[in-house]
Every structure is written in C-alpha cells, then in structure tokens.
Amino acid sequence: MKGALLLLALLVTGELGFQTTEACIPFFGVYLGILSGYRIWLHKELAAFHPTAEEKKAFEKIQDCYEEEGLKAKTEDMKFM
C-alpha cells in the first residue's frame, strides 16, 4: 500500500511540475504586457485566453496601477518575480 501511495505521489508531483513549466511562458507574456503600459500588447497577450470584457478591464486596471506607481514599482516587482 505504501508503494502505491508513493507512486501516486510521484506521478502527481511530476505532472504538476510539467504543467507549471508550460504555464511560465504565457504568464510572463501577460505579465510583461501589463508592465509595458501598452494596451495593444496587453490585449494581444490576453487574446490567447479568450478573456471576457470584465477580465480585460481588470487587467487594464492592474496596468493602470503600475503606470501610476512608475518605474520604481515595476523594477521592484520584477526583482520579486
């Protein structure tokens, strides 16, 4: 029984690790679209996910927050990421 649980845990862990690496490129594409300050770039990156109008507006608000805070906030956040 312990061997089966260990095998299941390894399979789940391996699958989750694989999916997170697949998600990195789209995540950073949207993230850089937000940091860029350009709505066209942001909408281009979001288009792959078929967002609703409300979701687009929410991402635009996040982008506006970064624009209000300026370059210092963007660089500090990029260091954190």
Side-chain angles (χ1 to χ4, degrees):
M1 184 67 175
K2 289 180 184 178
L5 287 175
L6 177 63
L7 179 61
L8 180 63
L10 289 173
L11 288 172
V12 169
T13 304
E15 186 63 27
L16 288 175
F18 183 69
Q19 289 177 351
T20 53
T21 34
E22 286 179 351
C24 284
I25 294 171
F27 169 78
F28 281 109
V30 172
Y31 179 68
L32 292 175
I34 289 172
L35 292 181
S36 72
Y38 296 108
R39 296 267 199 248
I40 294 171
W41 186 5
L42 176 62
H43 288 237
K44 180 182 173 281
E45 293 296 332
L46 289 175
F49 302 103
H50 310 292
T52 63
E54 293 84 16
E55 291 169 335
K56 284 182 184 179
K57 190 167 187 121
F59 277 101
E60 289 173 358
K61 285 182 180 180
I62 295 169
Q63 192 177 45
D64 291 340
C65 288
Y66 275 111
E67 287 302 308
E68 288 174 14
E69 292 301 317
L71 186 61
K72 183 179 179 187
K74 290 179 185 179
T75 55
E76 286 177 356
D77 196 46
M78 285 192 300
K79 286 180 191 176
F80 178 73
M81 295 304 268

